[in-house]
Amino acid sequence: YRLNTAWFFDVNTGIVAGQSAYNENIKIRRTTDGGESFSSIDLGASTGSPRVNDIYFINSTTGFLCRSSNVKAYKTTNAGLNWSSVNTPTVDWAMFQVKIVSASEIYAVGDASFLYKSTDLGTTWQTLPISVNGPSATFVWYSLDKNGSTYVLSGDYGIVAISNDGCATWSTNN
């Protein structure tokens, strides 16, 4: 079992997840005693690589996780005790990050051609095309960050894309 991601609410309560063996049930581990002990949370059987890539919470109860196969994202509203699948537009690509900027600005990253945005806590998703100007080639985008009005995507081969217009256009100098 390899841990890929962790989220801690405070010094005692947190969630860790990662990759288990091929075609096993995915388990998320939760601690309430600072990591002295962990309980398992089962997401069910998977086909393909059952890897959890990212966990991100908007507050102490509501959060998302994304993974590499089948159902791409899950949502919790009770601090990670239970998770339900979220319908995201991507079908063929893994999800590597669910970036929560605010309750009305959530992004899903992983597809080479699109960025997905939700303004209603993951109930519906808008597809935002990623067309990068300049010398670039990427097969996957791994992460998104936002600082003020600037969005930054990182992808394969060290490609970094920047948008200053709400993700409408992207540029890179890589």
Side-chain angles (χ1 to χ4, degrees):
Y1 199 88
R2 182 179 78 208
L3 298 176
N4 293 336
T5 186
W7 182 271
F8 274 75
F9 301 99
D10 55 45
V11 296
N12 291 313
T13 308
I15 298 173
V16 296
Q19 182 174 352
S20 60
Y22 190 80
N23 284 339
E24 287 185 4
N25 288 349
I26 292 178
K27 298 238 189 268
I28 299 169
R29 310 284 191 233
R30 187 172 193 276
T31 183
T32 57
D33 58 12
E36 292 293 322
S37 64
F38 287 86
S39 58
S40 294
I41 300 168
D42 191 356
L43 287 181
S46 173
T47 58
S49 174
R51 179 176 57 229
V52 175
N53 293 319
D54 190 35
I55 296 175
Y56 205 98
F57 278 77
I58 189 167
N59 56 37
S60 63
T61 58
T62 304
F64 292 83
L65 71 79
C66 60
R67 57 183 273 199
S68 292
S69 60
N70 292 348
V71 176
K72 305 296 185 210
Y74 288 83
K75 179 180 175 181
T76 182
T77 56
N78 62 2
L81 294 174
N82 302 98
W83 296 84
S84 57
S85 62
V86 174
N87 291 324
T88 56
T90 185
V91 177
D92 298 331
W93 295 92
M95 284 199 164
F96 289 98
Q97 182 189 36
V98 174
K99 174 68 174 184
I100 301 173
V101 176
S102 69
S104 62
E105 191 176 7
I106 301 171
Y107 297 91
V109 180
D111 196 315
S113 301
F114 300 104
L115 176 64
Y116 304 104
K117 180 180 180 182
S118 176
T119 58
D120 57 8
L121 288 172
T123 302
T124 60
W125 295 85
Q126 176 186 5
T127 302
L128 306 172
I130 302 171
S131 178
V132 178
N133 296 322
S136 65
T138 187
F139 294 109
V140 176
W141 295 104
Y142 291 104
S143 66
L144 173 99
D145 205 356
K146 180 182 180 189
N147 186 0
S149 62
T150 301
Y151 296 82
V152 179
L153 279 170
S154 66
D156 279 336
Y157 309 110
I159 301 299
V160 175
I162 298 172
S163 175
N164 291 306
D165 60 5
C167 303
T169 60
W170 296 89
S171 63
T172 183
N173 59 3
N174 292 27

